[in-house]
Structures are given as C-alpha cells and as structure tokens.
Amino acid sequence: KFPSNKIPFCIGRIFSTANKNQKKDYLVPDLKRKIKKKGKVFLKNLNHYRDFVSMDDISKIILILYSKKYKGILNIASGKSIYLKDIAKEIINKYNKKNYVFKDNRVSTSLVGNNSKLMRIKKIKIDTSIKKLIFWLMLFFYFIIISLSLMGYGYLTSKTLGIKVNNLGVIG
C-alpha cells in the first residue's frame, strides 16, 4: 500500500482532450482526415459520450493545484458529456461534406468524470465547446518536461532552466 500519509502527492486523472497538434490517430484529427476524403465516408463507433477538457483548462487546473499545494486524487474533467457524433457533425459542416454514413455500435457508452473535488478547490469555469477543444497550449507540455527533468527523467536540469529547486520542487 502506498504510504500516502508520509509522501505529499497530487494525482490528476485527465479525461479526454483534443488539440490541433494531436497525432493523426486521435479522434478529431482522424475524423478530419476521413471527412476530407473524396467519396462516401463511413463513420463508425461514434455513438458514445465522452468528457473533454481543453489543453488550456488542463494547464490552468494543474497550475492551480500546484499553487494550492493540493494533496490527493481528483479528476481533471468538465463533468459534461459530449456526444462523439456531434463532434463529427461539426467537422462535416465545416468541410461541407454531403456523402457520409454513421455506423453505430449496438451499445452506447459514457465516460464522464465526476469533477466535484475539482470544483470545491476553486470555482474553475471549464470551457467544453468543441471548437475550444482543438486549442493547443505549450504551457502544459513545458510543465510536464520540467517536472520530468526535475525528477531526473530528462536532459533539462534546474541549472539549464535557470530556476532554483529544493527537495519539494520549484521555489524560484
């Protein structure tokens, strides 16, 4: 068992996200690629609900959790469901695609996060608009790279980044 009373930790379970620089096999880039093709397009397995959070919101939430020195486990989620077929329809409209067919699974699923802990920490307005989900924010990646480097998993060091570090993390 993890000795949670001795080691301060914060685990943020990040739900689905989309951004303009995602790899082509993720939902939005994959849908764009398929819909832009000429001819009839078959869009399968989209009768599901997911919880999307923009990279911008994820970055803000991580910074808030860090600044408040939050300890524990919570969901980084909007708490709202977005129908995957609606995302496809928005892309279809954007590219004015007329020749498409949806092929649904027999059973629809829903994966939506309970964000009640997150909302208690600070009133954070999470933008769940589909257009906003495509927004990419470098700060998040910068934070991850620095975190990994400070833990000894990268080539960057606190000295090369010009920051002071103690055994608890960044202090200046």
Side-chain angles (χ1 to χ4, degrees):
K1 183 171 175 158
F2 189 73
S4 61
N5 58 342
K6 297 185 188 250
I7 300 172
F9 66 93
C10 175
I11 298 174
R13 294 184 292 232
I14 300 172
F15 277 66
S16 300
T17 187
N19 67 71
K20 68 180 180 181
N21 293 324
Q22 275 185 318
K23 293 180 183 177
K24 64 181 179 178
D25 54 341
Y26 283 85
L27 178 69
V28 173
D30 188 50
L31 286 173
K32 281 183 180 179
R33 182 182 55 76
K34 288 176 181 175
I35 291 168
K36 287 165 106 176
K37 285 183 179 179
K38 293 185 179 194
K40 193 173 199 171
V41 176
F42 293 91
L43 301 170
K44 302 175 186 175
N45 198 21
L46 295 175
N47 60 322
H48 305 286
Y49 295 86
R50 295 293 181 263
D51 186 325
F52 283 89
V53 183
S54 72
M55 292 303 290
D56 186 30
D57 288 331
I58 292 168
S59 300
K60 288 176 192 174
I61 292 166
I62 289 171
L63 289 174
I64 289 168
L65 294 172
Y66 178 76
S67 70
K68 292 189 171 287
K69 297 178 178 28
Y70 181 82
K71 294 174 187 80
I73 301 169
L74 55 79
N75 294 328
I76 299 178
S78 68
K80 297 176 182 172
S81 65
I82 295 180
Y83 194 42
L84 299 184
K85 203 179 279 189
D86 289 343
I87 296 173
K89 287 177 183 175
E90 177 130 349
I91 297 168
I92 286 166
N93 290 337
K94 180 179 178 180
Y95 292 105
N96 200 25
K97 184 74 172 185
K98 303 290 183 207
N99 198 4
Y100 62 92
V101 174
F102 286 110
K103 285 193 88 163
D104 294 338
N105 288 21
R106 292 181 205 179
V107 179
S108 179
T109 62
S110 180
L111 183 59
V112 180
N114 177 345
N115 66 355
S116 59
K117 283 185 185 179
L118 182 62
M119 293 296 111
R120 282 194 303 262
I121 294 169
K122 178 167 172 92
K123 279 288 185 198
I124 302 169
K125 184 178 179 186
I126 296 176
D127 186 345
T128 59
S129 68
I130 293 170
K131 292 177 185 171
K132 182 76 174 190
L133 292 173
I134 300 174
F135 181 75
W136 176 82
L137 187 64
M138 190 60 156
L139 181 59
F140 175 72
F141 297 107
Y142 183 70
F143 177 81
I144 297 299
I145 290 168
I146 289 174
S147 297
L148 291 173
S149 296
L150 294 175
M151 292 186 296
Y153 293 106
Y155 295 104
L156 297 176
T157 65
S158 58
K159 189 174 183 178
T160 60
L161 292 171
I163 54 177
K164 296 176 187 172
V165 178
N166 65 13
N167 62 342
L168 298 176
V170 178
I171 60 171

